[in-house]
Amino acid sequence: NISVEEAKKVLSIRDNENKELYAKLYGIRFGDDLSPFHIVIDVNKISAEEAAEKIIKEFRNKSK
C-alpha cells in the first residue's frame, strides 16, 4: 500500500545495495558485467514459454 513513487525509491535503494554487495562479494558490476552468466535473455518482449524455449535450446547446445 505505497505509492508508485515510493515503490520506485525502494527499488532504487535495493538495486544500489545489491550492486554494492555483488561488487564486494564477487568483484563484478551487477547489471553491467554479464560475464558470470551462462545465458542472458531479455524477457521484456517475449512470453514465458519463449524464454523457456531459449533456455532449453541453449542447454541442449551446451550439452553437445
Side-chain angles (χ1 to χ4, degrees), residues 41-52 54:
I41 301 172
D42 182 353
V43 296
N44 288 308
K45 296 182 181 177
I46 63 173
S47 68
E49 290 79 14
E50 290 171 304
K54 288 178 181 283

Side-chain angles (χ1 to χ4, degrees), residues 6-62:
E6 186 64 24
K8 286 180 180 180
K9 288 178 188 175
V10 170
L11 288 174
S12 179
I13 291 168
R14 180 191 268 166
D15 285 346
N16 289 332
E17 289 173 350
N18 283 337
K19 287 179 180 182
E20 290 176 16
L21 180 63
Y22 273 72
K24 180 179 177 181
L25 293 176
Y26 308 113
I28 64 168
R29 292 183 0 218
F30 186 76
D32 297 321
D33 180 4
L34 302 178
S35 65
F37 302 100
H38 297 285
I39 184 173
V40 177
I41 301 172
D42 182 353
V43 296
N44 288 308
K45 296 182 181 177
I46 63 173
S47 68
E49 290 79 14
E50 290 171 304
E53 288 172 12
K54 288 178 181 283
I55 294 166
I56 291 167
K57 182 179 178 183
E58 182 69 18
F59 176 77
R60 287 186 176 145
N61 288 338
K62 296 285 183 182

